Structures are given as structure tokens and as C-alpha cells.
């Protein structure tokens, strides 16, 4: 249904479920992990996420207790993250998708942590930290 890959192409994946909703997260760790102003991550059932890594390039980093970030050890592309105690959900980095995906984000989250150099424009709702679940459900995250 959807395909994605890292920058060097050593790691590819496919997703065999319909992608749901997502937000732009401006928190400091998303900025560090993405190298940009915000992250765009989407929760996918692990059983529907199929990774191909014939060269064994996938590298994992535990950025905080129980939070694992997976990236290509050759080119550095972030691919997904997961919580060791979450219900078998991986949070895929949308920038690694190769298939067109036309859904727009639902919210800006952790705006109180955003970089001063990032202007946020438009009418998308903004939240200082987590969005309420009525606005955006972030599957597989620590969202309360
Ligand atoms: Zn790579
Ligand atoms: Zn974040």
C-alpha cells in the first residue's frame, strides 16, 4: 500500500494498512532527531510494517528510557521510533515515504518547545504540548 526508504536506499519498507492522522511535533527531541524544525510521525501496527534491510544497516538508539529510534547506520535517515512498552506500534517518519500520501496534518504539538527561528502560519490548531485526543490521536506515542 505504501513504500518508503532511507536516503541511501539500503533500507526499504512497506506498510500494509491505511495511514491515519498525524501532527507536526516541534519538541526538542523531534527537532534533534530530524535535524529540522519539526517531525511528522505516524503510528502503524508493527505487523503491518515490513522492513527490508539486506545489508543490516538498521541502527537503534535509545533516546530516553524505553524510547527507541531506528535509523539507517549508513546515511543516517530516521525511519521510525517505538516505545518498548507500546502495543506493537512503530511511529514511522513520514519524510521517508516514497508513496504519495495526501492527508494533511491535524495539529501542531509541543509548540512551546519550538525553535525561535520557525514561524508557524496557517489555521492548523496549535498546542503547547500534546494535542487533546479529540483533535489528534498519536498512536504508539506517550500521549496521555
Ligand atoms: Zn540509508
Ligand atoms: Zn516530538
Amino acid at each position: 500500500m505504501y513504500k518508503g526508504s532511507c536516503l541511501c536506499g539500503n533500507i526499504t519498507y512497506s506498510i500494509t494498512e491505511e495511514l491515519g492522522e498525524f501532527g507536526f511535533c516541534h519538541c526538542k527531541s523531534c527537532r534533534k532527531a530530524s535535524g529540522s524544525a519539526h517531525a511528522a510521525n505516524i503510528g502503524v501496527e508493527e505487523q503491518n510494517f515490513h522492513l527490508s534491510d539486506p545489508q543490516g544497516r538498521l541502527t537503534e538508539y535509545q533516546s530516553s528510557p524505553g524510547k527507541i529510534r531506528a535509523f539507517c547506520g549508513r546515511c543516517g535517515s530516521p525511519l521510525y521510533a517505538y516505545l518498548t512498552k507500546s502495543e506493537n506500534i512503530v511511529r514511522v517518519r513520514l519524510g521517508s515515504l516514497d508513496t504519495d500520501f495526501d492527508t494533511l496534518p491535524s495539529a501542531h504539538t509541543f509548540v512551546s518547545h519550538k525553535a525561535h527561528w520557525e514561524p508557524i502560519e496557517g489555521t492548523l490548531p496549535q498546542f503547547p504540548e500534546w494535542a487533546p485526543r479529540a483533535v489528534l490521536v498519536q498512536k504508539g506515542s506517550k500521549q496521555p
Side-chain angles (χ1 to χ4, degrees):
M1 190 173 291
Y2 299 96
K3 291 188 182 305
S5 58
C6 64
L7 182 59
C8 75
N10 271 242
I11 303 174
T12 59
Y13 64 80
S14 62
I15 295 171
T16 51
E17 70 177 46
E18 203 58 64
L19 294 177
E21 55 188 0
F22 69 99
F24 288 153
C25 185
H26 302 257
C27 83
K28 187 174 180 182
S29 50
C30 282
R31 286 193 281 115
K32 293 276 184 192
S34 68
S36 190
H38 58 255
N41 308 323
I42 201 158
V44 171
E45 302 283 336
E46 190 178 30
Q47 63 185 13
N48 297 328
F49 181 76
H50 313 282
L51 193 80
S52 171
D53 179 22
Q55 313 279 335
R57 300 286 191 187
L58 192 75
T59 306
E60 293 191 336
Y61 171 65
Q62 185 166 242
S63 60
S64 59
K67 165 94 180 216
I68 312 292
R69 295 174 182 273
F71 58 96
C72 174
R74 180 170 183 237
C75 70
S77 289
L79 293 165
Y80 62 91
Y82 60 94
L83 297 175
T84 50
K85 34 172 211 208
S86 86
E87 314 274 302
N88 303 318
I89 291 170
V90 296
R91 293 190 51 77
V92 175
R93 317 286 104 164
L94 275 177
S96 64
L97 271 186
D98 294 312
T99 306
D100 285 341
F101 173 60
D102 296 327
T103 301
L104 295 176
S106 301
H108 291 281
T109 62
F110 285 87
V111 167
S112 64
H113 298 209
K114 83 172 188 67
H116 293 166
W117 48 264
E118 185 194 13
I120 302 181
E121 286 156 4
T123 55
L124 212 57
Q126 300 182 22
F127 300 95
E129 293 194 347
W130 296 103
R133 286 176 169 269
V135 175
L136 168 65
V137 176
Q138 294 179 276
K139 264 199 311 185
S141 75
K142 292 180 182 165
Q143 183 180 25

